[in-house]
Amino acid sequence: MEAFQVHILAAERTFYEGPCVSLTVPTSDGECGIWAHHSRMIAAIEPGMLRYETPDGGVQTAAVSQGMVKAERNEVLVLVDTAERPEEIDAQRAQRAADEAREALLQKQSRQEYQSAQATLLRALNRLRVKAHNVNN
């Protein structure tokens, strides 16, 4: 398979920059697959699992938060708030965060607090899903 250049940037660090033969990002319309010479596109990334394959056949996964992806001229830019490799995820901490967010959702609160608790819960559940996926593969 032919490779293309990918830049995966999180707010605090460069997550990955280099050649890639396929990239799958979570969007509001479902997973979006990108290969070499993909048509021009810009899409919103939703919290979920990002996967990419390098030319040597290695497949990497990451838990990503919201962001955007842009593809043009055989180059892809992924900008997200956070990106974590499965080995960087503390499953116990993520489970505690999910439990606390569930509890917060049950409390009477403002709309903003409710939305914040929802976002925290989604992020924690996503992190746990990515961690579990890596353990099972």
PDB file of all heavy atoms in Angstrom, residues 38-54:
ATOM      1  N   HIS A  38      -6.278  10.490  -0.760  1.00  0.00           N
ATOM      2  CA  HIS A  38      -7.676  10.724  -0.357  1.00  0.00           C
ATOM      3  C   HIS A  38      -8.110  12.086  -0.885  1.00  0.00           C
ATOM      4  O   HIS A  38      -7.314  13.018  -0.988  1.00  0.00           O
ATOM      5  CB  HIS A  38      -7.774  10.689   1.174  1.00  0.00           C
ATOM      6  CG  HIS A  38      -9.165  10.581   1.686  1.00  0.00           C
ATOM      7  ND1 HIS A  38     -10.021  11.640   1.773  1.00  0.00           N
ATOM      8  CD2 HIS A  38      -9.844   9.519   2.168  1.00  0.00           C
ATOM      9  CE1 HIS A  38     -11.172  11.245   2.274  1.00  0.00           C
ATOM     10  NE2 HIS A  38     -11.086   9.953   2.532  1.00  0.00           N
ATOM     11  N   SER A  39      -9.375  12.215  -1.205  1.00  0.00           N
ATOM     12  CA  SER A  39      -9.883  13.499  -1.674  1.00  0.00           C
ATOM     13  C   SER A  39      -9.795  14.537  -0.553  1.00  0.00           C
ATOM     14  O   SER A  39      -9.743  14.187   0.624  1.00  0.00           O
ATOM     15  CB  SER A  39     -11.331  13.351  -2.154  1.00  0.00           C
ATOM     16  OG  SER A  39     -12.145  12.912  -1.090  1.00  0.00           O
ATOM     17  N   ARG A  40      -9.810  15.796  -0.941  1.00  0.00           N
ATOM     18  CA  ARG A  40      -9.760  16.875   0.052  1.00  0.00           C
ATOM     19  C   ARG A  40     -10.952  16.758   0.989  1.00  0.00           C
ATOM     20  O   ARG A  40     -12.072  16.494   0.548  1.00  0.00           O
ATOM     21  CB  ARG A  40      -9.819  18.235  -0.617  1.00  0.00           C
ATOM     22  CG  ARG A  40      -8.586  18.596  -1.347  1.00  0.00           C
ATOM     23  CD  ARG A  40      -8.790  19.937  -1.993  1.00  0.00           C
ATOM     24  NE  ARG A  40      -7.509  20.607  -2.069  1.00  0.00           N
ATOM     25  CZ  ARG A  40      -7.362  21.844  -2.444  1.00  0.00           C
ATOM     26  NH1 ARG A  40      -8.417  22.568  -2.759  1.00  0.00           N
ATOM     27  NH2 ARG A  40      -6.171  22.377  -2.503  1.00  0.00           N
ATOM     28  N   MET A  41     -10.698  16.964   2.277  1.00  0.00           N
ATOM     29  CA  MET A  41     -11.786  16.912   3.243  1.00  0.00           C
ATOM     30  C   MET A  41     -11.395  17.593   4.534  1.00  0.00           C
ATOM     31  O   MET A  41     -10.213  17.707   4.848  1.00  0.00           O
ATOM     32  CB  MET A  41     -12.190  15.470   3.542  1.00  0.00           C
ATOM     33  CG  MET A  41     -11.108  14.682   4.265  1.00  0.00           C
ATOM     34  SD  MET A  41     -11.671  13.175   5.049  1.00  0.00           S
ATOM     35  CE  MET A  41     -12.247  13.748   6.599  1.00  0.00           C
ATOM     36  N   ILE A  42     -12.390  18.054   5.227  1.00  0.00           N
ATOM     37  CA  ILE A  42     -12.258  18.545   6.596  1.00  0.00           C
ATOM     38  C   ILE A  42     -13.450  17.974   7.344  1.00  0.00           C
ATOM     39  O   ILE A  42     -14.581  18.030   6.847  1.00  0.00           O
ATOM     40  CB  ILE A  42     -12.264  20.082   6.675  1.00  0.00           C
ATOM     41  CG1 ILE A  42     -11.036  20.662   5.976  1.00  0.00           C
ATOM     42  CG2 ILE A  42     -12.307  20.544   8.137  1.00  0.00           C
ATOM     43  CD1 ILE A  42     -10.990  22.176   5.960  1.00  0.00           C
ATOM     44  N   ALA A  43     -13.189  17.405   8.523  1.00  0.00           N
ATOM     45  CA  ALA A  43     -14.278  16.824   9.307  1.00  0.00           C
ATOM     46  C   ALA A  43     -14.003  17.022  10.796  1.00  0.00           C
ATOM     47  O   ALA A  43     -12.849  17.121  11.213  1.00  0.00           O
ATOM     48  CB  ALA A  43     -14.426  15.338   8.992  1.00  0.00           C
ATOM     49  N   ALA A  44     -15.078  17.063  11.558  1.00  0.00           N
ATOM     50  CA  ALA A  44     -14.967  17.147  13.013  1.00  0.00           C
ATOM     51  C   ALA A  44     -14.700  15.752  13.566  1.00  0.00           C
ATOM     52  O   ALA A  44     -15.315  14.771  13.136  1.00  0.00           O
ATOM     53  CB  ALA A  44     -16.243  17.711  13.610  1.00  0.00           C
ATOM     54  N   ILE A  45     -13.787  15.674  14.505  1.00  0.00           N
ATOM     55  CA  ILE A  45     -13.493  14.415  15.189  1.00  0.00           C
ATOM     56  C   ILE A  45     -14.268  14.405  16.495  1.00  0.00           C
ATOM     57  O   ILE A  45     -14.286  15.392  17.236  1.00  0.00           O
ATOM     58  CB  ILE A  45     -11.982  14.265  15.455  1.00  0.00           C
ATOM     59  CG1 ILE A  45     -11.232  14.097  14.129  1.00  0.00           C
ATOM     60  CG2 ILE A  45     -11.706  13.093  16.399  1.00  0.00           C
ATOM     61  CD1 ILE A  45      -9.731  14.013  14.276  1.00  0.00           C
ATOM     62  N   GLU A  46     -14.901  13.275  16.766  1.00  0.00           N
ATOM     63  CA  GLU A  46     -15.621  13.052  18.015  1.00  0.00           C
ATOM     64  C   GLU A  46     -14.735  12.203  18.934  1.00  0.00           C
ATOM     65  O   GLU A  46     -13.864  11.481  18.448  1.00  0.00           O
ATOM     66  CB  GLU A  46     -16.923  12.289  17.734  1.00  0.00           C
ATOM     67  CG  GLU A  46     -17.900  13.054  16.877  1.00  0.00           C
ATOM     68  CD  GLU A  46     -18.556  14.205  17.605  1.00  0.00           C
ATOM     69  OE1 GLU A  46     -18.898  14.029  18.792  1.00  0.00           O
ATOM     70  OE2 GLU A  46     -18.714  15.271  16.995  1.00  0.00           O
ATOM     71  N   PRO A  47     -14.965  12.248  20.227  1.00  0.00           N
ATOM     72  CA  PRO A  47     -14.196  11.363  21.115  1.00  0.00           C
ATOM     73  C   PRO A  47     -14.384   9.906  20.680  1.00  0.00           C
ATOM     74  O   PRO A  47     -15.493   9.476  20.371  1.00  0.00           O
ATOM     75  CB  PRO A  47     -14.827  11.603  22.491  1.00  0.00           C
ATOM     76  CG  PRO A  47     -15.363  13.001  22.403  1.00  0.00           C
ATOM     77  CD  PRO A  47     -15.857  13.133  20.985  1.00  0.00           C
ATOM     78  N   GLY A  48     -13.292   9.187  20.608  1.00  0.00           N
ATOM     79  CA  GLY A  48     -13.351   7.796  20.175  1.00  0.00           C
ATOM     80  C   GLY A  48     -11.970   7.209  19.985  1.00  0.00           C
ATOM     81  O   GLY A  48     -10.977   7.724  20.504  1.00  0.00           O
ATOM     82  N   MET A  49     -11.913   6.136  19.191  1.00  0.00           N
ATOM     83  CA  MET A  49     -10.657   5.439  18.947  1.00  0.00           C
ATOM     84  C   MET A  49     -10.124   5.793  17.565  1.00  0.00           C
ATOM     85  O   MET A  49     -10.810   5.619  16.570  1.00  0.00           O
ATOM     86  CB  MET A  49     -10.845   3.924  19.040  1.00  0.00           C
ATOM     87  CG  MET A  49      -9.527   3.190  18.921  1.00  0.00           C
ATOM     88  SD  MET A  49      -9.585   1.367  18.974  1.00  0.00           S
ATOM     89  CE  MET A  49     -11.048   0.978  19.846  1.00  0.00           C
ATOM     90  N   LEU A  50      -8.914   6.290  17.534  1.00  0.00           N
ATOM     91  CA  LEU A  50      -8.203   6.588  16.291  1.00  0.00           C
ATOM     92  C   LEU A  50      -7.267   5.407  16.044  1.00  0.00           C
ATOM     93  O   LEU A  50      -6.651   4.894  16.988  1.00  0.00           O
ATOM     94  CB  LEU A  50      -7.422   7.886  16.455  1.00  0.00           C
ATOM     95  CG  LEU A  50      -6.510   8.307  15.304  1.00  0.00           C
ATOM     96  CD1 LEU A  50      -6.541   9.823  15.183  1.00  0.00           C
ATOM     97  CD2 LEU A  50      -5.092   7.847  15.540  1.00  0.00           C
ATOM     98  N   ARG A  51      -7.153   4.961  14.789  1.00  0.00           N
ATOM     99  CA  ARG A  51      -6.236   3.878  14.428  1.00  0.00           C
ATOM    100  C   ARG A  51      -5.438   4.298  13.201  1.00  0.00           C
ATOM    101  O   ARG A  51      -5.989   4.925  12.302  1.00  0.00           O
ATOM    102  CB  ARG A  51      -7.004   2.595  14.120  1.00  0.00           C
ATOM    103  CG  ARG A  51      -7.672   1.971  15.310  1.00  0.00           C
ATOM    104  CD  ARG A  51      -8.362   0.658  14.966  1.00  0.00           C
ATOM    105  NE  ARG A  51      -9.357   0.730  13.919  1.00  0.00           N
ATOM    106  CZ  ARG A  51     -10.616   1.153  14.084  1.00  0.00           C
ATOM    107  NH1 ARG A  51     -11.025   1.554  15.257  1.00  0.00           N
ATOM    108  NH2 ARG A  51     -11.455   1.169  13.069  1.00  0.00           N
ATOM    109  N   TYR A  52      -4.162   3.933  13.199  1.00  0.00           N
ATOM    110  CA  TYR A  52      -3.362   4.169  12.003  1.00  0.00           C
ATOM    111  C   TYR A  52      -2.382   3.024  11.810  1.00  0.00           C
ATOM    112  O   TYR A  52      -1.956   2.386  12.763  1.00  0.00           O
ATOM    113  CB  TYR A  52      -2.642   5.527  12.047  1.00  0.00           C
ATOM    114  CG  TYR A  52      -1.649   5.700  13.171  1.00  0.00           C
ATOM    115  CD1 TYR A  52      -0.291   5.443  12.973  1.00  0.00           C
ATOM    116  CD2 TYR A  52      -2.046   6.149  14.420  1.00  0.00           C
ATOM    117  CE1 TYR A  52       0.627   5.615  13.989  1.00  0.00           C
ATOM    118  CE2 TYR A  52      -1.143   6.331  15.438  1.00  0.00           C
ATOM    119  CZ  TYR A  52       0.197   6.065  15.229  1.00  0.00           C
ATOM    120  OH  TYR A  52       1.101   6.236  16.245  1.00  0.00           O
ATOM    121  N   GLU A  53      -2.095   2.767  10.528  1.00  0.00           N
ATOM    122  CA  GLU A  53      -1.153   1.710  10.174  1.00  0.00           C
ATOM    123  C   GLU A  53       0.054   2.341   9.504  1.00  0.00           C
ATOM    124  O   GLU A  53      -0.080   3.151   8.590  1.00  0.00           O
ATOM    125  CB  GLU A  53      -1.802   0.703   9.224  1.00  0.00           C
ATOM    126  CG  GLU A  53      -0.891  -0.449   8.872  1.00  0.00           C
ATOM    127  CD  GLU A  53      -1.526  -1.472   7.952  1.00  0.00           C
ATOM    128  OE1 GLU A  53      -2.748  -1.372   7.685  1.00  0.00           O
ATOM    129  OE2 GLU A  53      -0.803  -2.370   7.493  1.00  0.00           O
ATOM    130  N   THR A  54       1.224   1.960   9.956  1.00  0.00           N
ATOM    131  CA  THR A  54       2.470   2.462   9.394  1.00  0.00           C
ATOM    132  C   THR A  54       2.927   1.532   8.262  1.00  0.00           C
ATOM    133  O   THR A  54       2.454   0.399   8.156  1.00  0.00           O
ATOM    134  CB  THR A  54       3.552   2.563  10.491  1.00  0.00           C
ATOM    135  OG1 THR A  54       3.702   1.281  11.111  1.00  0.00           O
ATOM    136  CG2 THR A  54       3.175   3.600  11.540  1.00  0.00           C
TER     137      THR A  54
END
